[in-house]
Amino acid sequence: MAGPEFDFDNIKTTEDDGVYVITLDRPEARNAINSAMWAELCDAFAYFDRSADLAVAVLTNTGKVFCAGADLKEYNAKTLAPPAGRETWGTGGMTRRYWSKPIIIAANGKVVGGGAEMLLASDLAVISDDATISFPEVKNALFPGGGGAPLRIGRSIHLKHAVELLLTGRPIDAQTAVQWGLANRAVPEDKLMDTALDLAQAIMANGPLAVRMTKRAVYDCMDKSFISESDGWRMMEELNEQAKNSEDAHEGTSAFMEKRPPAWKGR
């Protein structure tokens, strides 16, 4: 459970030394997102965001389909909807909502449609070596815009690869996904969570404030120029000043000089 206030039916959650593992758990429906799962994911991410004890989230799945996208039964019945008050959070509560802490996807098996859009929205992605990734919306005369795939994908991978994925609807295999930059690693299924947790631990060893600020800078500067005196450089200077004057920065340099592990405060 995500906390005493939650009792989930469509996802499972666990907490372990700062890592929040969220598992999509509708294998009988290929982990398709219905309204109930959508609301639970929003609750889980909101809990993760406000918890002072959690630093990194890992989103994974039961079964051999990470997520088949929208639940078509609800979609066709026009009953599929995000939870009230969270309409702008996007698919699964993460494709339009910016979360300041890192989110790693550990996808086992097929990653389809809305599931692929969630992968695009994650900060890091590990996939099983038998995984496939596809954006099949055009095959059904649908627009892949609910999770913002056309908006994000050209900033994640080469334009020609992005257009091929979105316009053909054909799946690519795990090795191609890594080569194209859609995933960080493709590993055997039994190594999937270990690899994702290793990345999480590597992130958590660092200053939490610096991690959050660096993540923000990476995304916020995507459309900014790096020519001197641009808005991008002004943002770098502002964030650098904030980080330099933080308690963690002082602790980090002191710990390095004193040859001891740092004790981060996140401020």
Side-chain angles (χ1 to χ4, degrees):
M1 263 189 337
E5 69 268 44
F6 296 116
D7 186 12
F8 294 138
D9 296 317
N10 300 281
I11 65 175
K12 297 184 292 189
T13 62
T14 59
E15 301 177 26
D16 185 16
D17 292 331
V19 180
Y20 189 48
V21 179
I22 305 170
T23 304
L24 305 181
D25 192 31
R26 293 187 74 214
E28 73 286 351
R30 303 173 76 231
N31 289 320
I33 298 175
N34 60 7
S35 298
M37 179 187 271
W38 200 340
E40 290 177 5
L41 283 167
C42 287
D43 283 340
F45 280 119
Y47 170 77
F48 164 66
D49 186 59
R50 67 175 180 266
S51 173
D53 298 323
L54 298 171
V56 178
V58 174
L59 180 63
T60 189
N61 61 290
T62 55
K64 288 298 294 182
V65 179
F66 169 70
C67 176
D71 185 298
L72 292 182
K73 289 182 180 178
E74 286 198 6
Y75 183 87
N76 288 334
K78 301 189 185 304
T79 58
L80 181 64
R86 295 167 172 177
E87 293 87 354
T88 61
W89 289 21
T91 304
M94 63 174 293
T95 60
R96 291 183 65 181
R97 174 72 155 80
Y98 177 81
W99 300 106
S100 62
K101 301 176 189 177
I103 298 172
I104 301 171
I105 275 183
N108 185 20
K110 295 180 179 179
V111 186
V112 183
E117 291 178 323
M118 292 167 72
L119 182 141
L120 272 179
S122 68
D123 301 303
L124 297 94
V126 181
I127 56 178
S128 60
D129 57 9
D130 61 351
T132 60
I133 298 174
S134 62
F135 297 83
E137 287 86 348
V138 292
K139 288 180 174 289
N140 299 309
L142 299 174
F143 176 69
L151 182 65
R152 287 182 181 275
I153 196 167
R155 304 181 190 190
S156 299
I157 66 175
H158 192 282
L159 182 61
K160 294 292 191 294
H161 294 153
V163 173
E164 178 180 337
L165 272 171
L166 295 186
L167 297 195
T168 68
R170 292 174 176 172
I172 59 171
D173 61 28
Q175 291 68 35
T176 302
V178 172
Q179 291 171 6
W180 286 8
L182 280 173
N184 298 84
R185 313 271 194 281
V187 299
E189 180 180 338
D190 61 356
K191 301 293 185 184
L192 185 68
M193 283 303 296
D194 286 345
T195 305
L197 292 173
D198 176 69
L199 288 169
Q201 294 292 341
I203 291 169
M204 291 192 301
N206 304 321
L209 179 63
V211 166
R212 293 194 299 271
M213 292 174 71
T214 302
K215 172 180 170 174
R216 176 65 182 268
V218 167
Y219 292 121
D220 221 1
C221 284
M222 280 185 175
D223 62 345
K224 304 252 186 329
S225 170
F226 52 79
I227 295 174
S228 188
E229 306 307 319
S230 70
D231 286 345
W233 280 111
R234 282 189 283 273
M235 180 179 294
M236 292 298 98
E237 291 167 2
E238 180 180 322
L239 291 171
N240 186 52
E241 198 65 22
Q242 292 177 30
K244 185 171 64 176
N245 293 320
S246 70
E247 292 182 39
D248 274 357
H250 177 74
E251 169 63 11
T253 53
S254 298
F256 178 80
M257 290 187 293
E258 296 166 13
K259 299 181 180 180
R260 60 172 176 81
W264 304 122
K265 295 182 180 178
R267 59 180 187 267

